[in-house]
Amino acid sequence: MELVDRDASLAGPVIRLPQLTYGGSANVTATAGQTAKLPCNIQDLGDRAVSWIRKRDLHILTTDIFTYTSDARYQVAHPEGSQNWTLLVKYAQARDTGVYECQVNTEPKRSLAFYLRVVAVALSWLQNGEPLAADRWVTETSQEYVTSRLTISGARLRDSGAYTCAPANAAHAHVQVHVISGEHPAAMQHGAAPVQHCVTPHHLIVTLLCFVVIVHCR
């Protein structure tokens, strides 16, 4: 059913009120470090203003194409002449999870609510197929990739084995580590996978790196 301004229709030409619809889903899930996109489609906007509100603190993030927050991660994508007003949350973080509202300044206001959920990249390390304790590695996330660093301090013979960096929904990376006794540490490349030969077991610190490229779906 078409929405109109009744008072305006009595006085003259029919004035259509804006109609807001979801450009995708009302529930948006983004991976930490990626750009979260909340697409709001608005028809018959006319000369009215579009704002994005963060509901938890009622903070006005943007109005039209202008950002009204010191957090520059928030921006609006609005191709000229289009009906799409998409809120972008760059380098999304877990604290960004919550409700966001797309609003048009009619009287009364018209709005559309989105729920954004930001999740971390699920990643674990294994030694010889057995999960290692999560406090043994550090994972950092950016917009383009995830880096995980596993450190073996004071390496001992029992630390020898096959180590696997196992991110969810991505290819696993493998490295073979040998802890041996000797006087001179050495490292060698063996095929596609690095093989580390480590000596001086009680003093050596071994650091393994794992890079996971984030694929952006458009």
Side-chain angles (χ1 to χ4, degrees):
M1 180 176 67
E2 187 179 59
L3 299 173
V4 299
D5 186 323
R6 292 182 178 178
D7 293 335
S9 66
L10 295 175
V14 171
I15 299 176
R16 297 183 178 180
L17 293 179
Q19 300 181 54
L20 288 72
T21 57
Y22 295 105
S25 173
N27 298 302
V28 178
T29 300
T31 301
Q34 287 188 320
T35 297
K37 300 179 181 181
L38 283 62
C40 183
N41 186 284
I42 306 175
Q43 299 179 19
D44 301 318
L45 178 61
D47 59 358
R48 301 174 182 88
V50 178
S51 297
W52 278 95
I53 312 296
R54 186 171 56 206
K55 291 292 289 183
R56 74 166 180 263
D57 55 6
L58 299 180
H59 191 95
I60 299 175
L61 301 173
T62 66
T63 296
D64 292 335
I65 60 173
F66 303 102
T67 300
Y68 287 92
T69 174
S70 58
D71 191 339
R73 297 180 306 121
Y74 292 98
Q75 296 178 13
V76 163
H78 172 62
E80 186 175 356
S82 78
Q83 299 175 341
N84 300 317
W85 297 81
T86 301
L87 178 67
L88 306 178
V89 185
K90 297 186 175 182
Y91 304 101
Q93 303 170 17
R95 62 184 175 86
D96 296 318
T97 294
V99 177
Y100 295 80
E101 196 169 86
C102 174
Q103 295 184 359
V104 177
N105 65 338
T106 54
E107 186 57 46
K109 75 175 182 181
R110 302 184 63 77
S111 63
L112 202 62
F114 291 75
Y115 180 76
L116 171 64
R117 178 172 177 258
V118 181
V119 298
V121 175
L123 184 149
S124 60
W125 280 89
L126 312 175
Q127 180 188 9
N128 299 324
E130 295 296 324
L132 296 173
D135 59 2
R136 294 189 60 181
W137 69 83
V138 175
T139 300
E140 300 174 351
T141 304
S142 73
Q143 187 178 14
E144 301 298 335
Y145 57 84
V146 175
T147 304
S148 186
R149 181 180 294 105
L150 171 67
T151 300
I152 306 171
S153 300
R156 291 171 169 77
L157 295 176
R158 66 173 179 266
D159 293 314
S160 294
Y163 287 80
T164 301
C165 172
N169 303 320
H172 295 181
H174 307 276
V175 63
Q176 187 75 30
V177 174
H178 297 279
V179 179
I180 62 176
S181 298
E183 296 181 357
H184 304 289
M188 60 182 293
Q189 188 79 16
H190 217 46
V195 178
Q196 298 190 13
H197 287 243
C198 308
V199 298
T200 320
H202 295 284
H203 299 91
L204 188 68
I205 296 177
V206 181
T207 300
L208 307 178
L209 290 176
C210 175
F211 295 91
V212 181
V213 177
I214 296 175
V215 178
H216 297 268
C217 298
R218 301 180 184 274

